[in-house]
Amino acid sequence: MNSDKTAQLKIHLDAIAQLLYEESDPENMKTLEGIEMTVRQQIQTHVSPELGPFFIRTVTGTAAGRNRQLKSTLGALRVTTQQASRLAVSSYRQISPHLENCCLRISANVSYAQAAKDVAYLTGIQVAAKTQQRLVHQQRFPTPQAHEALTEVSVDGGKVRIRTPAGQPCQWKDYKTLATDVGLIADYHNNARLIGWTHQQPLASPVTCLGDGHDGIWNIIRQLSIPEQRREILDWYHLVENLHKVGGSLKRLHQPEQLLWQGKVDETLTLFESLKKKQAQVFCNYIRKHRHRIVNYDYYQSEQICSIGSGAVESAIKQISRRVKISGAQWNESNVPQVLAHRCAYLNGLIGMQR
């Protein structure tokens, strides 16, 4: 904007500021925050609802069609059906895309009731909790897409509390999560969706697949690619955790830990197979079962070949849990997949980010 336009704008803004000030309640402007919120409210009521239609009309080149009103971060915004069509605003929506994305980003972190309060404070616009929930459940949330071959995929499960009929105890049920180079994806009782997503991505050869000892994890990994393409690695930290369940002094456990660190399964078995304790036998069966996934962790780490732990997916599950496990949260079972998709889309940076 050149100096002449800046000077002209300032004259108009000074006049507008005087008019808005005269119509404002002095009791609401005793602090800087009060002034900020008063100015925002006055602008959203009197100024931006006039600016918005001018911009829309000029950009779309039309004023034809039936008038409709949208709730927006500019305030109540008038837009015609023709303008909405050219700006890709769905005919049945009553909330503008930007305000909708504000709601979706906030409700990805907190309850719908809290989201309603936060949206009102941050944007100055009221969007009820029920509307917040409806916005989430009418979305088709995007998933991350790899432009280069995925080199690592780690898999793990999280817990979500399911609402049950009145008088019955609630139930905790499992969902599965994949963490990859490009982001994470989670689903509830739909492993096929996770596997299908992976098949749509380019995969490195080998692609490193990491998980703990749970059969459900490896059942998913087994379907992610052909065996020759997978490098399966048992998470080192879960391996050590299971070793310490055998019991005994730290000094006694140091030797098998060092052997396992170098991938020496047979030597480790020799140390424990003579022990009659149930814990020792359980651990021996565990490492026999995952023998082909126990690598020379020392070498892999020192040569930086790949990760040796599934920390990426465990971190992802903790991030998902910050939403699905908020205090008192219980979910209708049918809503869980969409809640997981919502949280993952937010964590992947795919809500309201113009690219």
Side-chain angles (χ1 to χ4, degrees):
M1 187 178 293
N2 61 37
S3 57
D4 288 341
K5 288 183 178 179
T6 300
Q8 185 180 5
L9 180 63
K10 188 176 187 311
I11 292 171
H12 292 298
L13 289 176
D14 285 344
I16 291 171
Q18 183 63 40
L19 288 170
L20 296 181
Y21 178 79
E22 291 172 359
E23 295 300 316
S24 299
D25 186 349
E27 291 298 315
N28 294 332
M29 298 187 292
K30 293 184 176 181
T31 65
L32 180 56
E33 183 182 28
I35 292 173
E36 290 177 283
M37 298 183 76
T38 297
V39 171
R40 182 181 68 183
Q41 188 270 330
Q42 291 284 37
I43 289 174
Q44 287 178 333
T45 301
H46 302 291
V47 180
S48 51
E50 298 298 324
L51 297 178
F54 175 85
F55 275 73
I56 292 170
R57 185 170 61 252
T58 305
V59 168
T60 61
T62 183
R66 177 175 54 83
N67 276 319
R68 54 187 286 204
Q69 186 165 290
L70 294 176
K71 186 178 286 190
S72 81
T73 51
L74 299 178
L77 192 61
R78 299 187 310 278
V79 61
T80 70
T81 52
Q82 290 289 334
Q83 291 169 345
S85 176
R86 297 188 184 186
L87 295 173
V89 178
S90 301
S91 57
Y92 58 89
R93 294 293 170 89
Q94 297 179 326
I95 295 178
S96 73
H98 182 240
L99 179 56
E100 183 174 289
N101 283 326
C102 288
C103 293
L104 291 173
R105 289 177 65 83
I106 293 173
S107 64
N109 289 285
V110 297
S111 68
Y112 299 123
Q114 186 60 49
K117 297 176 183 178
D118 290 348
V119 168
Y121 181 80
L122 295 170
T123 71
I125 306 299
Q126 299 285 339
V127 181
K130 286 291 185 182
T131 304
Q132 301 276 349
Q133 183 178 24
R134 187 169 62 251
L135 286 175
V136 169
H137 288 284
Q138 68 187 16
Q139 300 297 316
R140 294 187 63 182
F141 290 108
T143 54
Q145 299 298 312
H147 301 294
E148 298 181 359
L150 297 180
T151 60
E152 292 189 357
V153 178
S154 49
V155 185
D156 205 352
K159 295 282 188 181
V160 59
R161 187 161 64 169
I162 302 301
R163 181 177 286 117
T164 52
Q168 296 183 17
C170 63
Q171 297 179 353
W172 287 96
K173 293 192 176 182
D174 295 328
Y175 65 87
K176 294 295 189 295
T177 300
L178 302 184
T180 72
D181 309 351
V182 295
L184 58 102
I185 179 170
D187 215 321
Y188 177 72
H189 291 181
N190 191 357
N191 293 344
R193 178 173 175 266
L194 305 181
I195 295 163
W197 176 85
T198 309
H199 288 169
Q200 295 170 6
Q201 314 305 315
L203 299 177
S205 187
V207 55
T208 301
C209 300
L210 301 116
D212 60 24
H214 195 279
D215 287 342
I217 301 301
W218 295 105
N219 287 339
I220 293 175
I221 290 175
R222 194 174 295 116
Q223 301 175 69
L224 297 185
S225 65
I226 60 174
E228 294 78 10
Q229 191 178 16
R230 293 194 306 271
R231 177 197 288 133
E232 297 184 5
I233 297 181
L234 181 66
D235 174 76
W236 166 250
Y237 305 99
H238 281 88
L239 177 56
V240 172
E241 182 181 0
N242 278 279
L243 168 63
H244 283 257
K245 289 179 182 178
V246 174
S249 67
L250 293 177
K251 183 178 180 180
R252 180 182 177 184
L253 293 172
H254 178 72
Q255 183 181 3
E257 184 173 330
Q258 288 302 110
L259 290 172
L260 290 171
W261 179 240
Q262 296 173 356
K264 297 179 179 180
V265 176
D266 289 334
E267 291 86 337
T268 306
L269 287 170
T270 300
L271 293 177
F272 288 111
E273 283 182 327
S274 61
L275 299 180
K276 302 302 181 183
K277 289 176 57 178
K278 180 181 178 181
Q279 297 93 320
Q281 293 305 309
V282 168
F283 181 69
C284 288
N285 291 334
Y286 171 77
I287 61 176
R288 285 194 198 98
K289 179 178 179 179
H290 296 289
R291 174 191 294 271
H292 62 292
R293 299 176 180 128
I294 298 174
V295 299
N296 187 333
Y297 297 98
D298 183 20
Y299 175 74
Y300 273 55
Q301 186 176 73
S302 62
E303 295 297 320
Q304 297 184 340
I305 295 174
C306 63
S307 300
I308 61 170
S310 55
V313 72
E314 292 178 23
S315 175
I317 288 171
K318 288 179 181 178
Q319 290 295 317
I320 294 171
S321 293
R322 289 181 61 185
R323 177 63 180 100
V324 301
K325 286 186 177 181
I326 58 174
S327 179
Q330 297 184 50
W331 304 96
N332 290 331
E333 196 162 17
S334 60
N335 291 342
V336 173
Q338 189 71 348
V339 171
L340 293 172
H342 180 205
R343 180 63 176 166
C344 288
Y346 172 79
L347 293 172
N348 290 326
L350 297 177
I351 296 179
M353 306 299 288
Q354 293 188 357
R355 295 176 293 278

